[in-house]
Amino acid sequence: LGPTCLYLEVTNECNLTCKTCPLTYGRVESPAVLTVDKVRYLVAQFPSATRMVLHGIGEPLLNKELPQIISYLKAEGKYVLFNSNATLLNARWQQVLVDSQLDEYRVSLDATTPESYAEVRGKPMFSLILNNLEAFMTLKKHLGAAHPRVSLWLTGLRATLAELPDFLRIAHRLGIEEVYLQRLVYWHDENDEKLATSDQSLFQNLRSEEE
């Protein structure tokens, strides 16, 4: 049997500088985007795959061919989703994501205040993201659109885990019914203390108050 889920990194570029992302501290490949023609070529090699995940290390909304990619995959009967930072989720993208029949739009927010967002994600864009999401949810309601399903994602850091209750409140205020807490995948470089490290992670270090 072949794979049922295929990860297609539609771009390896990003407009943020998150402290939890290796892209912030250096790259191992040249900037690139995935074209719809390349997607057709790749998908054809895995006919058993019915679930398409269109993210990797980059921000998918930076790929101008993303609408065509989603529409092609949906026409092929695939379930399509991706993670996004929602900084680029303007009115045009909001309408595109509804029209393309995207199944899931997952937003990596990682904070509940402008200050903690700027600290973790590198740029002061928290208010912009909330405005984008509020407008998107309003558009979906106006159109009676069930899709894409929108969810909020929080990376479990020692520095921000206490914000989880407020994270739930933000989701409720926006009308977003799904919230996910994900663990930090960390690495260590003895020559660079800025990299995500084990002391930031909850993995094997969970304290009683965090539990």
Side-chain angles (χ1 to χ4, degrees), residues 78-110:
K78 311 299 185 181
Y79 187 95
V80 186
L81 64 97
F82 62 84
N83 277 42
S84 168
N85 60 39
T87 59
L88 303 174
L89 187 64
N90 56 27
R92 183 185 70 85
W93 269 117
Q94 292 166 24
Q95 189 67 55
V96 163
L97 295 186
V98 172
D99 291 344
S100 66
Q101 301 180 43
L102 179 70
D103 292 286
E104 286 187 53
Y105 182 67
R106 300 176 173 182
V107 179
S108 298
L109 188 56
D110 285 348

Side-chain angles (χ1 to χ4, degrees), residues 15-158:
N15 59 336
L16 293 181
T17 54
C18 302
K19 287 189 173 181
T20 56
C21 179
L23 187 61
T24 300
Y25 306 101
R27 55 169 65 248
V28 296
E29 57 190 7
S30 300
V33 295
L34 202 60
T35 65
V36 66
D37 288 338
K38 188 66 172 180
V39 168
R40 291 192 184 100
Y41 170 77
L42 293 170
V43 170
Q45 299 180 60
F46 301 95
S48 61
T50 58
R51 184 179 179 89
M52 302 290 158
V53 182
L54 304 184
H55 63 248
I57 205 167
E59 166 52 45
L61 296 188
L62 287 171
N63 188 330
K64 294 181 180 180
E65 291 194 35
L66 184 62
Q68 296 97 310
I69 291 172
I70 298 170
S71 295
Y72 160 71
L73 292 173
K74 290 305 301 177
E76 292 294 307
K78 311 299 185 181
Y79 187 95
V80 186
L81 64 97
F82 62 84
N83 277 42
S84 168
N85 60 39
T87 59
L88 303 174
L89 187 64
N90 56 27
R92 183 185 70 85
W93 269 117
Q94 292 166 24
Q95 189 67 55
V96 163
L97 295 186
V98 172
D99 291 344
S100 66
Q101 301 180 43
L102 179 70
D103 292 286
E104 286 187 53
Y105 182 67
R106 300 176 173 182
V107 179
S108 298
L109 188 56
D110 285 348
T112 62
T113 69
E115 294 76 18
S116 59
Y117 183 89
E119 174 65 22
V120 172
R121 311 222 71 186
K123 293 185 180 179
M125 306 183 83
F126 184 75
S127 296
L128 170 66
I129 294 167
L130 291 191
N131 289 339
N132 288 346
L133 288 173
E134 185 173 9
F136 190 32
M137 299 305 291
T138 298
L139 175 66
K140 284 186 57 186
K141 184 176 181 179
H142 174 73
L143 297 175
H147 294 91
R149 284 169 44 207
V150 181
S151 56
L152 292 186
W153 293 67
L154 175 72
T155 301
L157 301 176
R158 283 180 178 265

Side-chain angles (χ1 to χ4, degrees), residues 180-199:
Y180 294 87
L181 176 67
Q182 59 187 359
R183 73 180 182 91
L184 169 68
V185 178
Y186 64 86
W187 64 99
H188 180 62
D189 184 339
E190 294 180 354
N191 299 317
D192 194 339
E193 295 180 355
K194 294 182 296 183
L195 297 182
T197 57
S198 58
D199 63 338

